[in-house]
Amino acid sequence: MEPLSLRYPDPAVEVLHPDFLKLRLFNASVERLATGLRWAEGPVWFGDGRYLLVSDIPNDRILRWDDCSGQMSVFRQPSNNANGHARDALGRLVSCEHLTRRVTRTEHDGRVTVLADRFEGARLNSPNDITLCRRDGAVWFTDPSFGIGGHWEGEPAEQERPHGVYRIDAVTGGLTCPIDDLDGPNGLAFSPDESVLYVIESRATPHRLIWAYDHAADGTLSNKRLHVDADGPGALDGMACDVAGNLWCGFGSNGAPGADPAALDGVRVYNPSGQPIGHIHLPERCANVCFGGAKGNRLFMAASHSVYALYVNTTGAVR
């Protein structure tokens, strides 16, 4: 592990609002755990094995970082250009695959089960990010067309479905599409009590947005409302929610003329009201994050070529 700064408090952990002070650990530094990836995405923590899985999409592999040895190794290659990952209630890996345009579950014996690849007779685009609802076991995932736009993260193909957010019922396996009006739906996360679903619209203009939806016990959504406006060239991507309802969002530049990547790259933190309260500066654009570690208080950050970590004074809503 390589701390980026030897100074406490770490100057990379910027306080934008006093609310962030209670989440920042005064004597914790941003650490680089591994590097050498082409585009890091989809981190997920396996506490029972004390390891982190992370996608390296263009290299068509899933990597495994071991907390005991500090070493990175290949978990799966080829991975079908896997992107986002989650764990279900039985501890199985659930993955979004760009190349095969499907969502899969890896069984405990290593077999791979396809959970979704078509809707109403049409192929999915390229499932991107994924989360699970703990109270009913439903799988939720976003399906933009990023993986079918070229060879970098999948294969060029015709888009057969609008961009959407899908739900896989845990009992029936039935697939529904509750959201089909967002341009580039990307990261998604539930509030701690799962009464709200947050979804990032990563191709919204002029700025990227986070939408909030009321999530009912039967899995239906209502009351769509704007939760966060990036209000500038900040590129919201993936996110994780902590136990207090704060959103920790992968962040960087959207490439607009005049944007300053050095000021934007990292993780932007929003309180439950949608106000920005903190920013963790990284030397690379951050795509996605998750909480993990022995106590659930370590933020793992998949950022372009590298994987970073920071201990914080909260734990993830998903453990």
Side-chain angles (χ1 to χ4, degrees), residues 28-309:
S29 292
V30 175
E31 300 167 325
R32 181 187 281 116
L33 305 181
T35 193
L37 292 77
R38 283 208 168 98
W39 180 241
E41 257 282 12
V44 60
W45 174 252
F46 279 69
D48 46 349
R50 291 185 62 181
Y51 63 87
L52 179 82
L53 295 183
V54 61
S55 292
D56 184 5
I57 305 175
N59 281 327
D60 195 19
R61 61 184 182 169
I62 302 170
L63 300 176
R64 180 187 188 273
W65 178 81
D66 185 86
D67 188 29
C68 298
S69 67
Q71 298 300 306
M72 185 76 93
S73 60
V74 175
F75 174 80
R76 178 179 295 165
Q77 190 174 26
S79 68
N80 295 319
N81 299 113
N83 189 336
H85 304 284
R87 294 188 77 187
D88 70 7
L90 297 181
R92 296 170 295 188
L93 177 67
V94 185
S95 303
C96 293
E97 298 178 0
H98 280 186
L99 182 64
T100 52
R101 302 165 68 171
R102 66 187 189 179
V103 175
T104 63
R105 182 180 66 222
T106 301
E107 310 297 343
H108 292 302
D109 62 3
R111 291 178 299 112
V112 174
T113 300
V114 178
L115 301 183
D117 60 359
R118 291 179 175 271
F119 184 71
E120 296 181 342
R123 295 189 70 187
L124 298 175
N125 297 313
S126 55
N128 186 283
D129 203 0
I130 192 164
T131 192
L132 276 86
C133 177
R134 290 166 297 171
R135 67 188 181 199
D136 64 10
V139 175
W140 290 76
F141 66 94
T142 55
D143 186 44
S145 56
F146 306 155
I148 59 175
H151 295 283
W152 186 240
E153 297 187 9
E155 291 288 345
E158 292 296 322
Q159 182 176 335
E160 299 180 28
R161 288 282 308 159
H163 292 184
V165 179
Y166 291 84
R167 177 184 184 271
I168 306 173
D169 189 90
V171 177
T172 67
L175 185 65
T176 55
C177 184
I179 303 173
D180 63 2
D181 62 347
L182 301 184
D183 190 4
N186 201 323
L188 73 174
F190 282 106
S191 62
D193 64 0
E194 297 182 330
S195 65
V196 178
L197 176 68
Y198 299 104
V199 182
I200 290 174
E201 185 176 12
S202 65
R203 294 297 181 268
T205 55
H207 308 135
R208 296 193 178 191
L209 308 171
I210 302 179
W211 296 98
Y213 302 81
D214 289 339
H215 174 238
D218 63 359
T220 58
L221 302 178
S222 62
N223 189 27
K224 175 186 176 182
R225 57 201 180 274
L226 182 62
H227 185 65
V228 169
D229 185 328
D231 194 26
L236 293 156
D237 197 326
M239 60 182 163
C241 188
D242 69 22
V243 291
N246 303 295
L247 292 178
W248 302 66
C249 303
F251 212 71
S253 167
N254 65 3
D260 182 5
L264 296 169
D265 287 346
V267 175
R268 182 65 56 90
V269 185
Y270 298 89
N271 67 16
S273 299
Q275 179 180 8
I277 60 173
H279 191 96
I280 303 165
H281 292 271
L282 299 176
E284 309 174 61
R285 172 176 170 157
C286 183
N288 212 337
V289 303
C290 75
F291 285 94
K295 299 180 180 180
N297 65 335
R298 198 175 192 186
L299 182 73
F300 293 98
M301 298 166 277
S304 299
H305 302 288
S306 308
V307 179
Y308 298 87

